[in-house]
Amino acid sequence: MNSAKLSLDIEGQRHELDLPVIIGSEGEKAVDIRGLRKNTGVVCLDPAFGNTASTLSAITYIDGENGILRYRGIPIEQLGEHSTFCETSYLLINGRLPNRGELEGFRNRLTMHSLIHEDMKSFFNGYPSTAHPMAILSAMVCSLSAFYPDALDATNTELFDITATRLMSKIRTMMAFAYKKSIGQPFVYPRNDLTYCANIVNMLFSVPCEPYHVDEEIVKVMNLLLILHADHEQNCSTSTVRMVGSGQANLFASIASGICALWGPRHGGANQAVIHMLERIHASGESVDKYVERVKDKNSGARLMGFGHRVYKNYDPRALLIKKAADRVLSKLGIDDPLLDIAKRIEEAALEDSYFKDRRLYPNVDFYSGIIYRALGFPTNMFTAMFALGRLPGWIAQWKEMNEDPKTRISRPRQIYTGHTVREYVPLDDRE
Ligand code: SDX
């Protein structure tokens, strides 16, 4: 057993500890401080958890220094080139690639669970057409727990597969219905003769009054985008799913909390914020160099959305693949989007600028993804919902891994209190 010696000298109290050191399969090291408070009365303070590993996990590996991302050991470049979102979801949730029979079985189960209860359709009537899809999606996912009460028992592992399958399949239908509601078009039901991603395209963009051809190119790039978003170790929304699940909340409730956590512009909401940033630059005619200068001025409040990352201090490997796909898709679709040119010019300017280089700020997964979603016809406020759809198998895999660990306890961080020391209640008449 590796160990680290820790000597603490606090207010004349000396503690000498031998703390276990955990070494991960890729050589990452962690000092295990689980016994620290019991042995010293002292806790560690690490707001935003930049120096804290919350768990051991065998699902996803990120090397932020070298821009490496692997799902269950397989590089995303290979999955992006050879796999489908269904197969990658199976890999993340079950820990290995499926054989032919397993993949077919998984696909069929997803096909057979795509309908939502007809009573759920009426929920959509209550939303204004301007409702953000993430508001609807988080509510709908949590509402699934009302229709599958058996799933409320998170400890019932027999129900995990069917519950995960229902989530993976129905999230497409709920997202598509939210979009149709926003544009006043009739809901298009899923079709059992279409693949997972082809169903998404058909439910979003077809209308009942005429035949619709699902473009294989769109299905291909959607598979790639969803694969690249599928998991990313202990990010904000995944940690939220684990936190909520650690209280033994059911899978639907845990995932709904992850959807809400993803929504923020610092996290999954950045893909929408990037497009708004590019549109503002385009509409204002402001030069890219001028905008980049404004970003460097702390008082401007301007941020380079889609840039920077807590873990990647190099180019986000997903951004590299998405940027190439954006070029490919836009030329295939014959689209010349000025926002793509602006994005490339911003990247060029930032990567040569010491402000960004010194802070190791590079494009992240959100910088180019919105350009593709725009070209595919998605409205901007659907981009984060697509991120949630892609991230769903990762959230499910992480929730499962946590629930399967017999050592899992409820997550309950400590704090350091900085408020008033004890003081007396003052009756109302005696107050100023
Ligand atoms: C995702 O965690 C994950 O894995 C997330 C994700 C996933 O797959 O789950 O990868 C998905 O959320 C990607 C990130 C999407 N968000 C954005 O693109 C929003 C813009 N980026 C940031 O706000 C920021 O970079 C974060 C939130 C991504 C990371 O924030 P950190 O790690 O807390 O870094 P920080 O805010 O402390 O910044 C460090 C320095 C600061 O400057 P100084 O105080 O040192 O002078 O870098 C600056 C920041 O001002 N900085 C930026 C910047 N990001 C950081 N300056 C301008 N533009 C930016 N985008």
Side-chain angles (χ1 to χ4, degrees):
M1 159 72 87
N2 297 290
S3 70
K5 292 205 176 310
L6 176 70
S7 54
L8 280 177
D9 205 338
I10 298 185
E11 292 178 344
Q13 269 214 317
R14 193 164 179 75
H15 302 277
E16 298 287 343
L17 294 169
D18 251 345
L19 296 175
V21 171
I22 313 278
I23 301 181
S25 40
E26 290 289 344
E28 297 162 299
K29 294 177 187 60
V31 176
D32 187 338
I33 58 165
R34 274 175 274 206
L36 183 67
R37 187 171 183 277
K38 193 173 67 181
N39 295 318
T40 67
V42 169
V43 295
C44 288
L45 178 65
D46 185 20
F49 315 121
N51 304 281
T52 299
S54 59
T55 185
L56 302 176
S57 177
I59 299 171
T60 292
Y61 173 66
I62 300 175
D63 174 343
E65 301 307 318
N66 300 301
I68 290 172
L69 173 58
R70 301 184 199 131
Y71 298 157
R72 300 287 186 179
I74 303 177
I76 49 148
E77 292 79 5
Q78 294 181 29
L79 292 167
E81 189 179 342
H82 304 298
S83 187
T84 63
F85 179 58
C86 268
E87 184 181 70
T88 296
S89 300
Y90 186 100
L91 167 71
L92 283 166
I93 295 170
N94 299 289
R96 60 178 174 76
L97 289 168
N99 63 35
R100 197 175 296 279
E102 289 163 335
L103 182 56
E104 259 335 285
F106 185 54
R107 278 211 181 101
N108 291 337
R109 288 196 299 280
L110 288 173
T111 298
M112 300 316 287
H113 289 279
S114 57
L115 289 173
I116 60 174
H117 194 292
E118 281 293 294
D119 288 353
M120 286 190 86
K121 267 176 49 183
S122 58
F123 297 2
F124 289 88
N125 301 332
Y127 289 105
S129 59
T130 53
H132 196 290
M134 291 293 271
I136 299 177
L137 208 53
S138 52
M140 287 291 170
V141 165
C142 202
S143 301
L144 284 173
S145 51
F147 292 85
Y148 302 101
D150 293 354
L152 296 184
D153 175 6
T155 62
N156 182 344
T157 52
E158 312 261 301
L159 289 171
F160 170 80
D161 279 335
I162 183 62
T163 305
T165 303
R166 281 173 172 145
L167 255 177
M168 285 280 306
S169 190
K170 297 178 196 308
I171 195 166
R172 299 172 295 172
T173 313
M174 297 187 282
M175 196 194 69
F177 282 15
Y179 173 57
K180 287 301 197 187
K181 158 77 189 186
S182 74
I183 56 174
Q185 282 190 0
F187 295 157
V188 172
Y189 280 74
R191 281 175 31 189
N192 291 358
D193 62 319
L194 295 178
T195 62
Y196 188 92
C197 286
N199 249 314
I200 299 172
V201 176
N202 188 60
M203 285 193 278
L204 285 170
F205 302 123
S206 75
V207 286
C209 27
E210 60 186 23
Y212 175 79
H213 167 69
V214 176
D215 183 332
E216 274 316 307
E217 273 311 313
I218 294 184
V219 174
K220 194 161 163 260
V221 73
M222 188 176 289
N223 266 296
L224 173 66
L225 283 170
L226 295 179
I227 286 170
L228 296 179
H229 284 81
D231 193 52
H232 215 237
E233 54 142 278
Q234 305 312 314
N235 57 82
C236 173
S237 52
T238 299
S239 300
T240 303
V241 169
R242 279 180 172 260
M243 171 72 87
V244 170
S246 75
Q248 291 185 333
N250 63 80
L251 184 58
F252 296 127
S254 304
I255 298 300
S257 61
I259 293 171
C260 293
L262 185 72
W263 196 352
R266 281 185 178 159
H267 192 14
N271 55 18
Q272 176 174 346
V274 167
I275 294 298
H276 290 158
M277 171 185 76
L278 298 174
E279 283 172 336
R280 277 197 306 274
I281 295 171
H282 182 55
S284 68
E286 179 180 24
S287 74
V288 159
D289 292 340
K290 201 153 168 317
Y291 183 76
V292 169
E293 282 311 307
R294 262 192 326 112
V295 165
K296 290 155 58 180
D297 168 10
K298 290 271 187 247
N299 305 319
S300 76
R303 271 242 155 167
L304 201 38
M305 300 313 281
F307 253 70
H309 200 277
R310 175 64 58 76
V311 175
Y312 288 122
K313 298 309 169 194
N314 201 321
Y315 213 107
D316 183 331
R318 301 167 297 178
L320 272 176
L321 294 171
I322 293 173
K323 180 181 176 184
K324 284 185 197 140
D327 282 332
R328 205 171 50 244
V329 169
L330 268 68
S331 66
K332 276 241 191 240
L333 297 176
I335 295 171
D336 177 14
D337 186 348
L339 301 193
L340 178 57
D341 301 334
I342 295 174
K344 287 182 176 176
R345 289 210 314 275
I346 287 178
E347 176 188 339
E348 211 177 299
L351 296 191
E352 281 157 23
D353 189 302
S354 58
Y355 174 93
F356 298 90
K357 286 197 289 191
D358 296 350
R359 292 167 179 79
R360 303 179 75 185
L361 301 175
Y362 293 86
N364 60 48
V365 67
D366 293 308
F367 192 60
Y368 288 106
S369 54
I371 299 280
I372 299 181
Y373 286 132
R374 221 166 102 91
L376 300 183
F378 285 88
T380 308
N381 70 2
M382 287 282 288
F383 294 177
T384 311
M386 283 305 291
F387 192 146
L389 201 156
R391 184 51 52 88
L392 182 57
W395 286 333
I396 291 172
Q398 299 272 351
W399 187 90
K400 177 171 182 266
E401 183 179 67
M402 178 199 63
N403 267 317
E404 285 175 343
D405 179 353
K407 291 200 217 101
T408 292
R409 304 162 67 209
I410 192 167
S411 294
R412 202 276 185 217
R414 293 282 179 155
Q415 65 159 27
I416 297 298
Y417 175 69
T418 57
H420 284 283
T421 50
V422 65
R423 54 180 176 157
E424 300 303 313
Y425 176 81
V426 177
L428 188 55
D429 296 342
D430 300 346
R431 295 172 208 162
E432 278 123 41

